[in-house]
Amino acid sequence: METKAATSIFESLSSSWRLEAFRLLVKQGPEGMVAGDIASALDIAPSSLSFHLKALTHAGMVTVEQEGRFQRYRANIPLMLDLIAYLTEECCSGNPGKCVDLRAASSCADALLPPISPK
Amino acid sequence: METKAATSIFESLSSSWRLEAFRLLVKQGPEGMVAGDIASALDIAPSSLSFHLKALTHAGMVTVEQEGRFQRYRANIPLMLDLIAYLTEECCSGNPGKCVDLRAASSCADALLPPISPK
DNA sequence: GCATCGTTTCTATAATTGTTGAATAGTTGT
DNA sequence: ACAACTATTCAACAATTATAGAAACGATGC
């Protein structure tokens, strides 16, 4: 992943509306949600939601598919995982020992970083 | 993690300067880097870097410690991992089957999400 | 104490982002 | 073709964010 793509994604998650919408879609899984239902769930003006969904779509974090007169949105989980990989890659320059203490301090601990191994 | 804290973090990673600085610090590990070295590495004006490091510090993604006349910055790895946990929690409402295909599509695959288990 | 070094803060300006309501466009059912 | 429904686009305005250079601040060494 390039820096530009990553900043675009982070920017897309940097507003409350957009983060809440994305998390809602992550929770919803492959089923996704149509725009109107998202607007209802978040209690946001349709035009405002459209603005934010467009930002998420442009960043690639959500996909949209027409479904009759509805627009169905879905979270792009693979991209989310790629972003996580981008953020954590080269952690401590791949030096095993340096990371362990830092990992232990997280509430989610080891599950979220690739297994410790020499570079 | 609350939404507000998460958006603050995403916002702090949404500029190229800040993302590059943070990744540099992640790579550097516990050793961290002093402000001047970061500025040199990124080729950015000191006052501009200070502005961006302040944003990262305010979001909690980096810590700063005085070291003689230098300021040493370090990435907050545990918070990074907490952020990842926040982003991935409740994925597909904890419904095992729905996630597998999505996970497989990522270049980093299964390592990055908590093990699949019923809610 | 004074000059120097590393860094931050201040000031002004430029650029970007978010909000709202009205208008527009596409889809469906009659 | 028409009216109803879903959603996006547009336009104007308000608010926020980024930049660069100058000034200020704290720490160090002579």
Side-chain angles (χ1 to χ4, degrees):
Chain A
M1 180 175 298
E2 313 92 20
T3 301
K4 202 174 143 193
T7 54
S8 171
I9 293 173
F10 285 125
E11 207 281 322
S12 79
L13 297 174
S14 70
S15 109
S16 296
W17 292 129
R18 293 196 292 266
L19 181 55
E20 288 302 309
F22 179 71
R23 274 164 55 84
L24 194 56
L25 291 174
V26 168
K27 189 171 183 176
Q28 210 65 15
E31 189 185 335
M33 273 180 97
V34 299
D37 289 347
I38 301 173
S40 302
L42 301 182
D43 193 27
I44 181 180
S47 76
S48 201
L49 176 65
S50 193
F51 170 82
H52 291 299
L53 286 177
K54 189 180 178 182
L56 283 165
T57 305
H58 186 258
M61 284 304 266
V62 308
T63 60
V64 57
E65 185 188 11
Q66 184 142 7
E67 197 176 293
R69 63 177 76 169
F70 302 90
Q71 298 285 116
R72 181 166 298 270
Y73 286 89
R74 292 184 179 87
N76 185 349
I77 307 288
L79 183 60
M80 177 180 79
L81 298 178
D82 287 348
L83 180 75
I84 292 171
Y86 173 80
L87 205 53
T88 56
E89 82 188 358
E90 298 194 275
C91 179
C92 300
S93 303
N95 198 323
K98 293 182 179 173
C99 264
V100 277
D101 293 345
L102 300 174
R103 292 184 183 206
S106 165
S107 58
C108 62
D110 311 279
L112 296 173
L113 275 182
I116 291 175
S117 62
K119 77 153 187 303
Chain B
M1 180 175 299
E2 313 93 20
T3 302
K4 201 175 143 193
T7 54
S8 170
I9 293 173
F10 286 126
E11 207 281 322
S12 80
L13 298 174
S14 71
S15 108
S16 295
W17 292 128
R18 293 197 291 266
L19 181 55
E20 287 303 309
F22 179 72
R23 274 164 54 82
L24 195 56
L25 291 174
V26 168
K27 189 172 183 178
Q28 210 65 16
E31 189 186 335
M33 274 180 98
V34 298
D37 289 346
I38 301 173
S40 302
L42 301 182
D43 193 28
I44 182 180
S47 77
S48 202
L49 176 65
S50 191
F51 170 82
H52 291 300
L53 286 176
K54 189 179 178 183
L56 283 164
T57 305
H58 187 257
M61 284 303 267
V62 308
T63 60
V64 59
E65 184 188 10
Q66 184 142 8
E67 198 176 291
R69 62 177 76 170
F70 302 89
Q71 298 287 114
R72 181 166 297 271
Y73 286 88
R74 292 183 180 85
N76 186 347
I77 307 288
L79 183 60
M80 178 181 78
L81 298 179
D82 286 348
L83 180 76
I84 292 171
Y86 173 80
L87 205 52
T88 57
E89 82 189 359
E90 298 193 276
C91 180
C92 299
S93 303
N95 199 321
K98 292 182 179 173
C99 265
V100 277
D101 292 345
L102 299 175
R103 293 184 183 206
S106 165
S107 57
C108 61
D110 311 279
L112 297 172
L113 275 181
I116 292 175
S117 62
K119 76 154 187 303

